[in-house]
Amino acid sequence: MTTTETLIAAADAHSAHNYHPLPVVVATADGAWMTDVEGRRYLDLLAGYSALNFGHGHRRLVAAARAQLDRVTLTSRAFHHDRFAAFCTELAELCGMEMVLPMNTGVEAVETAVKTARKWGYRVKRVPAEMAKIVVAGGNFHGRTTTVISFSTDPEARADFGPYTPGFEIVPYGDLTAMREALTENTVAVLLEPIQGEAGVIVPPAGYLRAVRELTRERNVLFIADEIQSGLGRTGRTFACEHEGVVPDAYVLGKALGGGIVPVSAVVSSAAVLGVFGPGEHGSTFGGNPLACAVALEVIAMLRSGEYQARSAELGEHLHRELGGLLSAGKVTQVRGRGLWAGVDIDRRLGTGRQVSERLMDRRVLVKDTHGSTIRIAPPLVITKEDLDWGLDQLRAVLAT
Ligand SMILES: *Cc1c(COP(=O)(O)O)cnc(C)c1O
């Protein structure tokens, strides 16, 4: 057996099979490239589901992490530490908001947003006890906890995990009429991805986010944007909501906020909303730890320059032009997305998304399929145009055969 086969067999024997990874075993990585245990190099067109927006081992981020490792890494929130104030201030400023509640993984931040909306509903909006409702969209992906899968519409994510948490109303994504009808006096929040990532990079109809913003404002309902995957440069702007000039009541952030080094997530909102929490009412041992704050501060500084957003916009235009060529050639049936982010539906006669991903892997390009016939392209924003073009050449070659 090769080293790759041995390691995969051992992983299969001793890890739960809750993933179906491509058969590549990564040993090292740099920028947009990963090297496997056999020394083969692969172009990374997934970027850790956008957790690696700045690529692997970005010098600035690694330096920030290293410097913090030598100072202090964990205090718990029982004490203050000297990176916390800057992290909260600068993240709030980047978001045009006032307050930050830091957590670790994305789903914890979504849970935090759910708790925030409910508490705000009871304390501020005065919804009767236990009656708070949150409206979400079909096809959503907000994470994997029992409460969050309670409002998933994906049978695989839900089956055999009940009983489910009540208090959620699901409406079709992009359907404004359904959204309007779903809102009642007891609705405390609308929770949406401004672009649905896991569903296949689904961009809502033009004007939808703006209309949801107006509707929620009129009805005294919080608009919570889950920008865990769409945010922090991925779409060519800091936030995907910006494409419609929308400012939500709260952002939920994660993935790229940790620079691909540590899990860092947060809810970012106004003082009127996040001010509902008192001591002991919510928390996390690792949330807002010094190492997380140091890395995230560097991420924020990098985003402040606008350089990565501009890169995503420019290379994204190129990416979508090239993918448009595959569409005209009849190799793919639909292409969606914004910036360096695309969901590509493969003509089923050419293979499943999984098969195309495997053939791309044989040509040293790594992507991930979703929902049968879709592949998702989300390179690190630091990718060069030459590398991106090489990756697209491999996709064309795979679809030509
Ligand atoms: C990935 C993701 C999450 C969950 O993040 P985890 O860090 O995996 O818990 C939530 N919402 C969206 C939109 C995501 O893409």
Side-chain angles (χ1 to χ4, degrees):
M1 286 214 297
T2 64
T3 310
T4 297
E5 286 163 351
T6 308
L7 290 170
I8 290 175
D12 278 349
H14 299 290
S15 73
H17 295 175
N18 57 326
Y19 278 91
H20 181 34
L22 289 170
V24 56
V25 182
V26 175
T28 62
D30 183 32
W33 291 87
M34 298 201 278
T35 304
D36 77 0
V37 287
E38 325 271 356
R40 292 178 291 235
R41 292 180 80 226
Y42 298 84
L43 184 63
D44 180 4
L45 295 188
L46 179 67
Y49 302 94
S50 291
L52 287 154
N53 278 0
F54 308 99
H56 297 271
H58 193 290
R59 303 293 171 269
R60 281 181 69 173
L61 297 171
V62 170
R66 275 217 182 96
Q68 192 60 41
L69 283 174
D70 288 333
R71 299 181 70 238
V72 58
T73 52
L74 191 65
T75 54
S76 85
R77 295 285 306 279
F79 318 111
H80 290 272
H81 66 77
D82 66 2
R83 312 307 302 264
F84 189 69
F87 165 71
C88 295
T89 310
E90 292 181 29
L91 183 58
E93 196 178 284
L94 183 79
C95 297
M97 296 279 177
E98 295 166 327
M99 272 190 183
V100 170
L101 201 171
M103 299 295 283
N104 310 283
T105 64
V107 76
E108 284 178 295
V110 173
E111 288 272 356
T112 300
V114 167
K115 289 171 78 174
T116 304
R118 286 180 172 183
K119 201 173 264 297
W120 174 87
Y122 298 124
R123 294 277 177 83
V124 181
K125 186 170 173 171
R126 300 276 168 205
V127 168
E130 302 295 306
M131 297 294 280
K133 275 264 165 35
I134 295 176
V135 175
V136 299
N140 72 72
F141 182 84
H142 297 288
R144 299 290 195 173
T145 59
T146 34
T147 285
V148 171
I149 58 110
S150 293
F151 55 87
S152 168
T153 55
D154 176 1
E156 274 182 19
R158 283 172 56 90
D160 300 328
F161 296 128
Y164 303 107
T165 306
F168 300 93
E169 196 82 50
I170 304 171
V171 297
Y173 190 60
D175 184 340
L176 198 62
T177 310
M179 169 79 68
R180 190 177 292 114
E181 282 167 6
L183 300 186
T184 71
E185 275 112 79
N186 294 337
T187 308
V188 294
V190 167
L191 169 65
L192 290 178
E193 297 158 86
I195 293 178
Q196 290 189 325
E198 298 307 297
V201 194
I202 311 290
V203 182
Y208 176 66
L209 297 175
R210 205 172 319 129
V212 169
R213 173 67 286 186
E214 281 162 22
L215 186 60
T216 48
R217 191 175 281 129
E218 272 165 31
R219 303 286 283 271
N220 193 24
V221 167
L222 300 178
F223 181 7
I224 302 171
D226 180 347
E227 294 248 21
I228 289 172
Q229 194 164 160
S230 60
L232 308 185
R234 175 50 61 191
T235 67
R237 304 285 180 90
T238 306
F239 302 106
C241 282
E242 286 175 55
H243 291 281
E244 290 209 353
V246 161
V247 178
D249 294 295
Y251 291 108
V252 187
L253 301 176
K255 293 199 167 103
L257 189 57
I261 298 178
V262 281
V264 186
S265 68
V267 174
V268 189
S269 185
S270 62
V273 172
L274 278 176
V276 297
F277 284 107
E281 294 176 353
H282 190 52
S284 160
T285 304
F286 287 91
N289 69 73
L291 182 60
C293 288
V295 172
L297 272 166
E298 201 63 29
V299 166
I300 295 161
M302 287 163 69
L303 286 168
R304 239 179 349 234
S305 75
E307 154 192 356
Y308 298 91
Q309 295 90 324
R311 215 179 151 69
S312 174
E314 193 185 315
L315 282 180
E317 215 169 283
H318 177 66
L319 169 71
H320 284 278
R321 205 163 36 235
E322 297 292 307
L323 292 173
L326 283 172
L327 195 60
S328 323
K331 300 291 182 185
V332 305
T333 56
Q334 203 183 48
V335 179
R336 300 167 299 271
R338 280 192 200 279
L340 265 182
W341 200 20
V344 180
D345 294 346
I346 308 291
D347 184 329
R348 282 166 197 272
R349 288 166 301 187
L350 298 174
T352 62
R354 175 74 185 193
Q355 287 166 333
V356 168
S357 303
E358 284 169 355
R359 282 183 231 146
L360 276 170
M361 191 195 87
D362 293 337
R363 290 178 164 270
R364 311 289 168 84
V365 173
L366 297 178
V367 298
K368 185 72 175 78
D369 57 297
T370 180
H371 296 281
S373 61
T374 303
I375 58 167
R376 167 178 26 193
I377 299 179
L381 309 181
V382 297
I383 193 172
T384 63
K385 181 161 179 291
E386 292 67 36
D387 287 346
L388 179 61
D389 280 332
W390 179 82
L392 288 165
D393 285 344
Q394 306 317 305
L395 178 61
R396 270 186 287 267
V398 159
L399 296 179
T401 52

